[in-house]
Amino acid sequence: MFSFFSAAQVILQPNEIKQSFSWSSAGDVLKYEISIKRIDKKSINSKEQFYHETTEEETKNCQIYIDPALPAGKYSATIKIYNLLGILEEACTSSSEFTIYKAYQPEVHDVEYLLNKQSVIYLDDPDNDGIVQINGRNLFETDETNESLIYTDYFLTNGHLIIKPEEIISYSENNRRTVMRFNMKKLHVGKYYLIARDASGLCSEYTTSSTLNVKFKKWIDIDIKAGYTLPFLLHDDTITNYFGTNCFPLSAFVGVSIMPVKCSWGYLGIGLRGSYTRADGSGADYTIDGNLIFLHGLLIFQKPFLNRRLIAELHAGAGITCFNNYVFHYQHNIDSIPLNTVSLSFDAGIAIQIFFNKRLFTEISTDYVFTLNKDILMGNLQPSIAIGWQF
């Protein structure tokens, strides 16, 4: 079996084309006889375009150069083998088809992201559409039918990834401009080159003119928020028995998050969350009141959706729960000694941020806080709603 190829015309110098044709060796042979015919779909019979018997050196190297060069088109090559006695080995005769494409050196003179008229895509721009325009020379249409002899492929590469456009939007009639759209979900932070490759394999150069930078406009997000929360005690009846309720509506919370690690797959950061609850209750012969304060440091993961108009968040961390100034009030102005304790607690929650514009957002969240105390193991759920601002 032999493999033939003449996939491209190799341009050595201006106006000079040299075509190579090679095959795999059949071992010790006297010579090869090569016949190349052009495949014409409009005609039943193929016409021979080239015939050659190899010299000793060509036989050894299994390579020849076709002169004069064959024009672009589809061809069928037949190779016959003569053994060392000069006898044709009919059983070893083999054929293969190949295509010669027209070679046009593509050039990319500049790359422009149409949204901002720059060669930069900001991943945190909510209006991103992924539409890129390139200007240059020999920018032909892509080959949708696998039949074209002249075409151009386009792709972005950073040396590791190759990202092809999702859609070619338009071409100019003079083959100097092409507009295409890339899938924003496939773009990661980094420096890319927009490469045009013609049918023969010739590629545009890796230059500053062909670069497209993908980055975040803001390298860090700082969110500040404040709102209302409504704690529900889920287990351990100690507080419920004393207060007569497991829900304390006089509550509020504040939070801040700092997100310094931003990637296309999501953001990582840290934050603080604190809440205050005024707890009031009564029993058969007393009233009770006090302040319940939660403060937690958090590790945060955020994932943007809908061009950053919606952000889903997971967070978890540790901190403290403060029982501050809890006092029992009895008749005749008798008060108990105030209770003040600080206990270790843990917080885990989810949140959804909905942005009204690039800065203002509302957040809906739910947190579960588990408190470790020598007297009680308190778990409470804290659904919340807040208004926030992103710096």
Side-chain angles (χ1 to χ4, degrees):
M1 296 298 294
F2 304 95
S3 59
F4 310 114
F5 65 89
S6 183
Q9 301 180 16
V10 182
I11 302 176
L12 300 179
Q13 297 177 6
N15 301 320
E16 181 183 353
I17 297 178
K18 194 171 184 180
Q19 291 176 331
S20 65
F21 181 85
S22 61
W23 58 95
S24 57
S25 174
D28 294 329
V29 300
L30 179 67
K31 66 178 179 180
Y32 298 97
E33 182 182 281
I34 300 166
S35 174
I36 298 178
K37 295 182 179 181
R38 183 163 187 170
I39 300 173
D40 187 354
K41 291 186 177 181
K42 297 180 181 180
S43 175
I44 299 177
N45 299 318
S46 300
K47 298 180 181 179
E48 186 172 78
Q49 300 287 312
F50 178 81
Y51 175 84
H52 183 75
E53 294 183 5
T54 58
T55 64
E56 183 178 347
E57 182 178 359
E58 291 170 340
T59 301
K60 179 181 178 181
N61 295 332
C62 294
Q63 184 180 40
I64 63 173
Y65 290 94
I66 300 173
D67 188 22
L70 298 173
K74 295 184 180 296
Y75 294 88
S76 173
T78 301
I79 186 167
K80 297 181 179 180
I81 300 171
Y82 289 82
N83 61 27
L84 294 176
L85 299 176
I87 300 174
L88 174 64
E89 299 285 352
E90 292 280 0
C92 295
T93 299
S94 183
S95 298
S96 179
E97 294 184 0
F98 63 93
T99 303
I100 295 178
Y101 297 97
K102 291 186 178 180
Y104 291 93
Q105 176 64 59
E107 299 176 12
V108 175
H109 296 163
D110 67 79
V111 180
E112 182 180 288
Y113 187 48
L114 293 181
L115 180 65
N116 54 28
K117 305 298 182 183
Q118 302 177 54
S119 59
V120 179
I121 293 179
Y122 295 110
L123 291 178
D124 49 358
D125 193 326
D127 298 319
N128 275 331
D129 54 17
I131 297 178
V132 174
Q133 175 180 289
I134 64 173
N135 297 294
R137 294 183 67 249
N138 297 328
L139 305 177
F140 298 98
E141 296 185 19
T142 56
D143 183 17
E144 302 292 342
T145 63
N146 294 322
E147 296 292 333
S148 300
L149 299 178
I150 305 173
Y151 65 84
T152 307
D153 289 325
Y154 305 92
F155 58 90
L156 286 171
T157 181
N158 59 1
H160 305 286
L161 295 174
I162 292 179
I163 304 173
K164 295 184 178 182
E166 294 288 305
E167 175 188 9
I168 303 295
I169 297 175
S170 66
Y171 304 91
S172 65
E173 293 183 358
N174 59 2
N175 303 313
R176 291 179 177 269
R177 183 177 66 254
T178 304
V179 179
M180 62 196 71
R181 182 181 63 81
F182 288 91
N183 186 341
M184 294 297 303
K185 294 180 180 179
K186 295 182 179 180
L187 297 180
H188 305 278
V189 173
K191 179 180 179 180
Y192 293 83
Y193 293 94
L194 205 158
I195 301 300
R197 180 176 58 200
D198 87 327
S200 71
L202 296 175
C203 291
S204 58
E205 297 181 353
Y206 290 66
T207 65
T208 55
S209 299
S210 64
T211 58
L212 181 67
N213 291 298
V214 179
K215 59 177 68 174
F216 287 93
K217 186 180 296 184
K218 293 164 55 190
W219 70 274
I220 186 171
D221 288 341
I222 300 176
D223 297 342
I224 295 178
K225 55 201 172 185
Y228 177 74
T229 185
L230 183 61
F232 289 92
L233 299 179
L234 297 181
H235 50 80
D236 196 310
D237 296 333
T238 304
I239 292 181
T240 303
N241 291 337
Y242 281 115
F243 283 83
T245 180
N246 68 340
C247 176
F248 302 97
L250 296 178
S251 304
F253 88 99
V254 295
V256 59
S257 60
I258 302 173
M259 311 300 295
V261 180
K262 302 175 73 174
C263 302
S264 56
W265 45 262
Y267 309 157
L268 294 175
I270 57 176
L272 284 173
R273 177 185 170 92
S275 66
Y276 169 82
T277 296
R278 180 62 178 175
D280 295 301
S282 62
D285 55 357
Y286 65 86
T287 61
I288 184 173
D289 53 50
N291 307 302
L292 183 60
I293 300 171
F294 298 97
L295 182 63
H296 296 95
L298 303 173
L299 295 176
I300 302 172
F301 170 75
Q302 293 182 344
K303 175 67 176 179
F305 296 95
L306 303 177
N307 289 335
R308 269 188 53 85
R309 289 180 171 84
L310 185 146
I311 293 181
E313 176 181 303
L314 297 175
H315 56 256
I320 57 174
T321 298
C322 298
F323 296 90
N324 171 252
N325 203 33
Y326 275 79
V327 177
F328 286 88
H329 305 283
Y330 299 96
Q331 294 179 358
H332 309 296
N333 295 322
I334 299 175
D335 296 335
S336 66
I337 298 174
L339 172 66
N340 292 282
T341 64
V342 177
S343 303
L344 176 67
S345 60
F346 302 92
D347 185 330
I350 59 174
I352 296 292
Q353 294 178 351
I354 302 172
F355 280 77
F356 301 109
N357 53 41
K358 293 182 179 181
R359 304 288 186 181
L360 181 64
F361 65 89
T362 185
E363 179 181 282
I364 301 172
S365 62
T366 299
D367 284 69
Y368 173 76
V369 179
F370 181 72
T371 301
L372 292 172
N373 185 278
K374 65 179 182 178
D375 298 317
I376 60 174
L377 297 176
M378 183 178 69
N380 69 89
L381 193 67
Q382 297 184 4
S384 307
I385 186 168
I387 291 292
W389 186 265
Q390 185 174 99
F391 293 91

